[in-house]
Amino acid sequence: MGTDGLIELDESCWSALAKYNLVLATLFGVLLLVVRQIDPGQARLFLLIENGVLALVFGAVQTYCWISR
């Protein structure tokens, strides 16, 4: 699919990135459920931080892959 000189972006690389994104989203979802059970008042703040982190990480990975094409 393309390369940037650091990694080869073939089908296996895209598959690994998709799995990484799925694992990260699942982990944050489970963490949010735990926070909601422990301290419901903090769930709103945690959700805000979680969405910011997910947006930055997913956006960085997608941008890297797009630029590397």
Side-chain angles (χ1 to χ4, degrees):
M1 293 203 164
T3 183
D4 67 347
L6 296 176
I7 61 173
E8 183 66 30
L9 294 174
D10 56 2
E11 217 38 58
S12 64
C13 182
W14 285 104
S15 177
L17 289 173
K19 289 175 185 175
Y20 167 76
N21 284 344
L22 179 62
V23 168
L24 191 60
T26 303
L27 176 68
F28 273 116
V30 170
L31 281 173
L32 178 61
L33 290 175
V34 170
V35 168
R36 287 182 75 179
Q37 291 298 316
I38 293 174
D39 188 5
Q42 294 296 322
R44 190 173 251 176
L45 176 63
F46 184 79
L47 187 59
L48 181 65
I49 294 169
E50 173 187 45
N51 284 338
V53 169
L54 286 174
L56 287 173
V57 170
F58 290 166
V61 168
Q62 288 176 329
T63 302
Y64 176 77
C65 292
W66 178 71
I67 289 173
S68 298
R69 290 182 73 194

